[in-house]
Amino acid sequence: MKKIEIITRTFKLDEVKTALSGIGVKGMTVSEVKGFGRQGGHKEVYRGAEYQVDFVPKIKIEVVVEDDFAVDVVEAARKAAYTGETGDGKIFVSPVDEVVRIRTGETGEDAV
Amino acid sequence: MNFVDNAFILICAALVMFMTPGLALFYGGLVRSKNVLATIMQSFIMLGLMSVLWAVIGYSLSFGSDIGGLIGGFDFAFLKGVGMDAANSPADNLPHLTFMIFQCMFAVITPALISGAFAERMKFAGFMVFSALWLILVYAPMCHWVWGGGWMGEMGALDFAGGAVVHMSSGAAALCCAILIGKRKGHGSTAFIPHNLPMTILGAAILWFGWFGFNAGSALAADGNAANAFVTTHMATAAAALSWIAAEWMHGGKATTLGAASGAVAGLVAITPAAGFVTPMWAIVLGLGAGVICYGGIMLKNKFGYDDALDVVGIHGVGGTFGALMTGVLATVNAEGLIMGNAHQLWVQFVSVVATWAFCFAMTFVIFKVVDTTIGLKATPEEEDKGMDIAEHSETGYQW
């Protein structure tokens, strides 16, 4: 199993969710996060004084899927989140050792 | 006694009262979220402390029998002789109580204005004692000098609604406090970004609203002078909001909402001494100047390096001074300024400006030092990190 973390622009949430649901992803977790990458932060001005704000608001979508499904999920998410401008975000894929469904006690891919 | 005037001034007093919670919102939005309650408190609680002190002694020191042109006597201490008719009242068309409570609202907001200078780092106990002493030793004498029969009014200084008494005095005190208390922890390396600008803009709008009572009410009658003061107040404020954003648009590339709100307050401050002495068109000229001058004024702290957290010096100090001097230039209603060929009025205004700054700065210095060495004024670095809401009041403004 793989965990896929998609960190992208906040206004892309609906498009990514729709794209992932469309290819069969059954569940996801969404968080509001802040951070910066190569895009950097932005400048704010208050009464003539400039401040550099490093952390930009983003959303993080986490899904866990079967190994052979991960490539499709990453590609669907990438297409949905794409604008072509700096700051589109990152997708991280990492292995998951175990999954447990709390209600039934199922484990492994049955629990995803 | 005139019943219409009485009704009008009581309503004006209520309008001026509303300025203090308006100021609390204006300042509260400008600080970081961990200091929002402590900042609001430093305005709101002045409605309690200053009102009681005013009734007990402040009013008497301001408007009691003149002693050498410097201070009022104890005739009205504990509101003795301040009654429901016009007996002994400085305004013979108003019940003495009406005049007293209208002036009370000015005494409430002035120490609250200073709190913007030391926002985010002042201990509450020290603040309360400092403010109490400041009312008695700075505000009351200033009020007496200008309006209570003291030397500044006798000299002919024009201050319709408190350019010297309220704004220059608080601006000079703010400069003194900002220098003495030192910078906030992280100043220069941390971004002190306003946490809620909508709150600040609502506060500015409430100030604008309440200021009609402040300035029009200073006519002390429901007459044409009040109408003129109301209109000049509005026009100067409108013009200053425009000229501030024009200045920052040219200087920084964008017109900001904080700029519009700050410009409006700058216009309100600058028209205050002039409100009853200029025409509406000259008020627009004064407002246009005030927006640009005060925008420059807020740059002073960057140039000189003091941490006037919420720009009290740049807006109230600079705006009040500009307004006082421009009153000497533009006065054409009930007085003659430079444009009427009366250069002497400008000289009188200049003397009143220098005296106000010197007296208020020096006296604030003494009060600050006394309170700082006895009770303590500055929060510790740990308290600043934690936020003054938790450190001083055991509360937080927001539950996330």
Side-chain angles (χ1 to χ4, degrees), chain A residues 65-83:
Chain A
V65 297
E66 297 87 349
D67 285 340
D68 51 7
F69 187 29
V71 176
D72 295 340
V73 172
V74 169
E75 189 54 19
R78 197 190 70 78
K79 280 184 181 164
Y82 177 82
T83 71

Side-chain angles (χ1 to χ4, degrees), chain B residues 36-37 82 88 97 105 116 131 143 147 155 170 202 207 216 219 241 249 254 288 302 307 336-337 353 355 374 382 399:
Chain B
V36 61
L37 292 177
V82 181
N88 303 320
L97 280 167
M105 300 311 176
S131 298
C143 189
W147 295 325
M155 178 178 70
S170 58
L202 176 63
L207 284 170
W249 213 332
K254 295 264 174 68
L288 289 173
N302 302 325
D307 183 14
E336 292 185 351
V353 165
T374 51
E382 292 75 16
Q399 304 296 328

Side-chain angles (χ1 to χ4, degrees), chain B residues 13 65 87 112 127 135 152 177 192 209 256 268 272 321 384:
Chain B
S65 309
F127 162 76
L135 179 86
M152 209 177 269
C177 289
F192 296 120
F209 171 77
T256 67
L268 289 162
T272 292
T321 304
E384 279 195 60

